[in-house]
Amino acid sequence: MRTQYVADTALDEDRLAKDLEQTASFPWSEAYSDFVFGGAWKSCMLWARGGDAGDGVVTNYDHGLPANFTQLGEQVPYLRELITSVADLDRLNFVRLAKVQNSVIIPHRDLLELSDIADDTRNAHRMHIPLVTNENCLFNQGDTVYRMRKGEVWFLDASEIHSVAVLSDEERIHLMFDFVDVPSDKPFTAVGDTSADGGVPQDRTVQRPPLSGADRAALKALAGLLTMETVNEIFSIVIKKHFRYDGGDNFVWTTMIDLARASADPAILPHIESLRRHYTLERSVG
């Protein structure tokens, strides 16, 4: 399913605030924070295989067990009601509450490490509902940068290279739904038509100015600073530049490979090439 806006769903602000306050005491997992520069990607499982909140790593759950609300999901009645009202529970695999702030996420593909899981229990379709967001929360797929607004229902093609920027100290909090791909007479969500394939609406797309020649030269000069000690900081700068300026398709990885080739540190190019394989081509469990 292509990345697309599907519909809006009304949120009860008072009940939502009460549930989110309750989650402050939850044990938030930092699994998958290796995808993030700047901070941690935190999540907690509200619905999972076996009904176990677990450690947040989807390959560590028993996919032979039916999915159900976890002990954490049982503590947030409004979010539980929202989940049951918008999602096809028969195909719902996982629901995570995910939060991040002041960070960027490396361009990557999801699902790469799930190939050994049976088709009827493997994550195949992803849906997002933003619960807390702001104008500095940005998403990217291909050369398109866009915003998801609070209460909107989106499907993401997580098998395509995509990334995220939260360029704010305010937390961005989303509900993330993962569905299996099995035949059904019901839609994945009850609040919109996913068959319409509407894509990203124009008014959600961020119109970025072209990357200037001066900016390209400044980025190129970072090769002189690029070492194994500075690679994360420079990678973060390149990703942030991508979210603010249009440098063309595959800008982040192309730029990082070019910088690595020009770096005086011989360890950098193999490192960046290894990262690109891991995040975009093949990724083993663990």
Side-chain angles (χ1 to χ4, degrees), residues 22-34:
Q22 174 68 23
T23 68
S25 63
F26 284 3
W28 290 79
S29 166
E30 294 189 3
Y32 304 109
S33 289
D34 57 310

Side-chain angles (χ1 to χ4, degrees), residues 9-66:
T9 184
L11 298 175
D12 185 315
E13 296 290 350
D14 291 338
R15 296 181 68 197
L16 174 60
K18 186 175 180 179
D19 273 12
L20 292 181
E21 182 179 359
Q22 174 68 23
T23 68
S25 63
F26 284 3
W28 290 79
S29 166
E30 294 189 3
Y32 304 109
S33 289
D34 57 310
F35 286 69
V36 177
F37 295 123
W41 191 87
K42 300 180 180 181
S43 67
C44 55
M45 283 289 187
L46 305 183
W47 171 282
R49 287 283 168 177
D52 181 9
D55 63 1
V57 180
V58 296
T59 51
N60 289 347
Y61 292 78
D62 187 343
H63 286 70
L65 296 175

